[in-house]
Amino acid sequence: MTETEAATPALSIDDIVWACTNLCELLEFENDALIHHDSRTVRELAENKAALARIYENAIAPLADEPQLAETLEPEQKEELTALGIRLKGLVEENARRLKAEIEATQMLMDAMVTAVKANATSAVSYGPAGQYGAAATGEQNSLAFNQTL
């Protein structure tokens, strides 16, 4: 191996294709979960999504750092990478839109719940002036617990 070859980072087309393909498949699955408001599946996919994104980033880094490496690719490899890149870009954009919409919908729901709770006053049993129990509106706010991650 020459000194120039040692200094040039290796470009693994197989790693890029593997990472990109798997990331695309995961995004398709996540986008479908978002369509169906399946937040559990979205949460379960988050760790794998982050890991695949890191693998993809590491695989593509040599090409990003040294674009001239693309000149060493065969025409079929260039076509495959271009097609995968276009597919990935579209899925990432769709994923971002769906995630934003889900976050906004969740925020609207929480805002509506907070507004409804604030509108209700609590009746509490308390001691009256004569030392007897009596029910009186205290004007205190109700509390609300929603034991589910949205």
Side-chain angles (χ1 to χ4, degrees):
M1 180 182 296
T2 67
E3 191 174 313
T4 304
E5 289 172 335
T8 303
L11 183 62
S12 174
I13 299 303
D14 292 339
D15 288 348
I16 296 171
V17 169
W18 182 89
C20 192
T21 300
N22 283 283
L23 191 53
C24 285
E25 290 172 3
L26 184 138
L27 287 170
E28 287 172 344
F29 195 71
E30 182 177 76
N31 287 342
D32 186 60
L34 287 166
I35 289 169
H36 294 94
H37 308 290
D38 183 358
S39 59
R40 177 177 294 182
T41 297
V42 173
R43 279 191 313 276
E44 290 171 355
L45 293 173
E47 191 174 319
N48 287 341
K49 181 179 172 183
L52 281 170
R54 282 190 302 275
I55 292 168
Y56 174 75
E57 184 180 3
N58 290 336
I60 202 82
L63 190 57
D65 293 340
E66 298 191 33
Q68 70 272 14
L69 288 174
E71 297 168 12
T72 65
L73 299 174
E74 298 294 324
E76 302 83 36
Q77 292 173 320
K78 287 180 184 180
E79 287 176 24
E80 182 179 23
L81 289 179
T82 300
L84 279 170
I86 291 168
R87 178 180 172 208
L88 181 60
K89 181 179 185 276
L91 288 167
V92 166
E93 289 171 352
E94 177 185 354
N95 188 256
R97 282 191 310 274
R98 292 192 184 285
L99 284 170
K100 181 180 178 188
E102 195 70 20
I103 289 167
E104 289 173 354
T106 300
Q107 187 61 50
M108 287 172 41
L109 173 65
M110 295 306 293
D111 290 346
M113 291 172 63
V114 167
T115 301
V117 168
K118 285 181 179 179
N120 292 323
T122 302
S123 266
V125 175
S126 60
Y127 286 104
Q132 297 177 348
Y133 288 112
T138 63
E140 294 178 9
Q141 301 289 321
N142 285 328
S143 63
L144 174 70
F146 191 77
N147 195 14
Q148 180 179 4
T149 303
L150 299 177

